Amino acid sequence: MALIESGWHLASFLAPLHILSFSTLLGTELYQSFVMVKVCYQALPRSAFTTLQKRVFPIYFRIQTLLVFLTAATIPPYGPLTLRESKGNWIPFTVAGVTALLNLAIYGPRTRQVMIDRIHQETRDGRKANDAAELSEDMTNLNKAFSRTHAMSIHINLISIGAMIWWGWKLALRLDVKA
């Protein structure tokens, strides 16, 4: 009660948490999607890259999902209740939340499993999944499955990033910048 009487407001607590969670979310999405993956793909042998990715991406999708919900929960001035004020508030969080959950629960695990299946098939076939020589029917099917699930995961991730950029733009428009 003393906090309320001393001028403490929920918004003054939520605003810094919101900025920190939002910036962490967008920064993580951009870094993982456009820096980390590219550098690792270019610098590591394929087997090491695959091993790294199958360990990193489940963590990334968990963090992304958690940060989307944390960011939505800390919107000033009233937390999640603020989302009800306008479609422009809740749409980016709904899009980002759904896409993050899709990657966490469906496309991330499917892509990871197909990556593992391709490694096992390479062992059975005695050649790499991207060999110029004719591939087995099983490897061809696994490559197609990987291309589909991986493309879905990438596009869903890009949609999530777009939703958070949209929110960042809306957030920036609320700033009171004095010249």
Side-chain angles (χ1 to χ4, degrees), residues 135-147:
L135 298 174
S136 69
E137 184 179 338
D138 289 339
M139 184 59 81
T140 301
N141 291 337
L142 286 170
N143 284 343
K144 286 178 186 176
F146 177 77
S147 292

Side-chain angles (χ1 to χ4, degrees), residues 6-101:
S6 68
W8 181 87
H9 299 284
L10 184 59
S12 64
F13 176 72
L14 289 177
L17 288 176
H18 184 70
I19 293 296
L20 289 172
S21 63
F22 169 73
S23 58
T24 302
L25 170 60
L26 187 58
T28 300
E29 287 177 328
L30 293 172
Y31 179 76
Q32 178 62 29
S33 301
F34 298 109
V35 177
M36 184 71 169
V37 171
K38 182 176 182 175
V39 169
C40 291
Y41 183 77
Q42 291 173 344
L44 295 173
R46 187 170 165 272
S47 63
F49 175 75
T50 300
T51 300
L52 178 66
Q53 295 304 89
K54 72 181 180 187
R55 288 192 173 86
V56 167
F57 268 93
I59 296 166
Y60 166 68
F61 291 140
R62 283 193 297 271
I63 290 170
Q64 180 187 37
T65 304
L66 173 72
L67 286 170
V68 167
F69 289 104
L70 180 61
T71 303
T74 58
I75 296 174
Y78 308 112
L81 297 176
T82 307
L83 292 174
R84 297 186 336 192
E85 289 178 4
S86 77
K87 284 183 181 178
N89 286 349
W90 63 263
I91 289 175
F93 286 99
T94 301
V95 169
V98 168
T99 55
L101 284 170

